[in-house]
């Protein structure tokens, strides 16, 4: 691809703004007044994985956080602040962690070479590998890379659910579901990894900030009776 200059960016931007304005004259006025996205997207910083375009959504419809290899680390105040603002203030209803096949960060985590500071960040993906190591027996490099892209998403979905932010939202009765998707660069298709989590009962006990009893206490009485009859529902 030829190198592009910053002048080209400004020219593109003019054309883009004019095209949108001619289709929807009020677009920028409405956009400037408020944002009320239903989705928070946590995805890879990879230049080939743009959140809005993939989901067919316009500016204002998705709140976005991106970092190398879509990692959610318990002490990353950048990511935590994005999640907190999205959940508490914007009241998004879905948090979507999206990985992508062919992720350079994930591939690097499977290797034993040094690229500098980023090696420390990619340690988190090596942790994912170690947690699920036996699943990698007998896989070739490409298969291992694809599997680690998928497992990384599943583990990061769990990390989102373990935050105080998401658990507090569930405790308040706020509707919030965390999803894990993986995107294929080859055909542009998003795949659902079926790791949707929408309540405290679906996360491991060790990470829960509220006991089953706390959660039961805030349920309507008919639901409490129902659950008492089938105690396995809240594990
Ligand atoms: Co990537």
């Amino acid at each position: 691809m030829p190198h592009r200059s910053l002048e080209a960016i400004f020219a593109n931007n003019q054309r883009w703004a004019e095209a949108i304005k001619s289709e929807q004259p009020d677009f920028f006025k409405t956009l400037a007044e408020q944002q009320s996205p239903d989705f928070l997207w946590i995805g890879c910083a990879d230049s080939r994985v743009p959140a809005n375009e993939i989901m067919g959504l316009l500016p204002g419809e998705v709140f976005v956080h991106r970092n190398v290899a879509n990692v959610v680390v318990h002490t990353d105040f950048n990511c935590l602040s994005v999640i907190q603002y999205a959940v508490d203030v914007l009241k998004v209803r879905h948090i979507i962690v999206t990985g992508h096949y062919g992720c350079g960060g994930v591939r690097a985590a499977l290797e034993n070479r040094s690229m500098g500071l980023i090696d420390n960040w990619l340690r988190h993906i090596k942790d994912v590998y170690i947690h699920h190591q036996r699943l990698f027996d007998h896989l070739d490099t490409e298969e291992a890379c694809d599997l680690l892209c998928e497992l990384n998403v599943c583990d990061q979905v769990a990390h989102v659910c373990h935050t105080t932010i998401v658990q507090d939202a569930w405790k308040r009765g706020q509707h919030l579901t965390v999803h894990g998707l993986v995107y294929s660069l080859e055909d542009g298709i998003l795949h659902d990894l079926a790791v949707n989590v929408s309540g405290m009962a679906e996360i491991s006990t060790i990470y829960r900030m509220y006991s089953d009893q706390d959660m039961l206490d805030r349920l309507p009485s008919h639901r409490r009776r129902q659950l008492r009859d089938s105690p396995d529902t809240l594990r």
Side-chain angles (χ1 to χ4, degrees):
M1 250 186 257
H3 291 295
R4 304 234 195 180
S5 66
L6 200 60
E7 284 79 8
I9 301 290
F10 283 116
N12 288 348
N13 169 252
Q14 286 286 337
R15 276 195 297 275
W16 172 78
E18 278 158 22
I20 289 199
K21 233 167 30 191
S22 69
E23 273 175 37
Q24 300 178 51
D26 285 344
F27 182 85
F28 290 109
K29 189 174 169 287
T30 316
L31 197 63
E33 280 166 7
Q34 59 151 345
Q35 60 165 345
S36 56
D38 286 327
F39 305 98
L40 164 61
W41 167 283
I42 299 175
C44 185
D46 190 301
S47 62
R48 300 163 296 177
V49 191
N52 294 58
E53 284 88 337
I54 291 172
M55 295 197 290
L57 296 177
L58 290 167
E61 293 185 302
V62 55
F63 201 60
V64 175
H65 178 75
R66 293 169 69 177
N67 61 40
V68 172
N70 42 270
V71 178
V72 177
V73 180
H74 305 306
T75 51
D76 175 4
F77 279 93
N78 183 354
C79 184
L80 291 178
S81 300
V82 169
I83 297 174
Q84 190 259 323
Y85 187 77
V87 170
D88 292 354
V89 182
L90 298 175
K91 305 260 191 295
V92 296
R93 296 176 75 91
H94 304 273
I95 299 177
I96 304 171
V97 179
T98 306
H100 68 103
Y101 294 117
C103 182
V106 169
R107 189 176 299 274
L110 277 172
E111 295 171 352
N112 297 98
R113 63 197 174 101
S114 174
M115 289 186 292
L117 177 68
I118 195 166
D119 299 340
N120 299 283
W121 184 251
L122 298 178
R123 290 284 181 275
H124 295 294
I125 302 173
K126 288 184 186 283
D127 294 344
V128 175
Y129 174 85
I130 284 291
H131 290 158
H132 306 281
Q133 199 170 10
R134 62 182 178 77
L135 299 176
F136 289 84
D137 292 345
H138 318 300
L139 297 187
D140 66 30
T141 311
E142 287 312 303
E143 290 166 335
C145 194
D146 286 353
L147 178 64
L148 192 54
C149 288
E150 293 163 352
L151 294 176
N152 180 45
V153 170
C154 299
D155 278 18
Q156 306 315 325
V157 165
H159 294 167
V160 172
C161 298
H162 299 160
T163 61
T164 56
I165 304 151
V166 168
Q167 293 194 44
D168 282 336
W170 284 333
K171 194 180 179 218
R172 291 192 295 270
Q174 194 172 327
H175 289 286
L176 180 64
T177 306
V178 186
H179 311 263
L181 310 182
V182 65
Y183 172 70
S184 168
L185 295 174
E186 279 159 26
D187 59 11
I189 300 297
L190 278 172
H191 301 272
D192 190 353
L193 291 172
V195 284
N196 311 303
V197 187
S198 43
M200 196 88 69
E202 298 164 49
I203 65 176
S204 305
T205 316
I206 187 74
Y207 291 109
R208 291 186 208 164
M209 289 148 38
Y210 306 105
S211 67
D212 289 352
Q213 195 56 51
D214 289 334
M215 297 303 288
L216 273 172
D217 288 345
R218 50 160 294 280
L219 292 173
S221 55
H222 72 277
R223 279 288 290 150
R224 279 206 297 272
R225 272 195 303 278
Q226 204 180 352
L227 289 168
R228 252 201 315 273
D229 295 340
S230 56
D232 287 347
T233 317
L234 273 181
R235 288 183 305 279

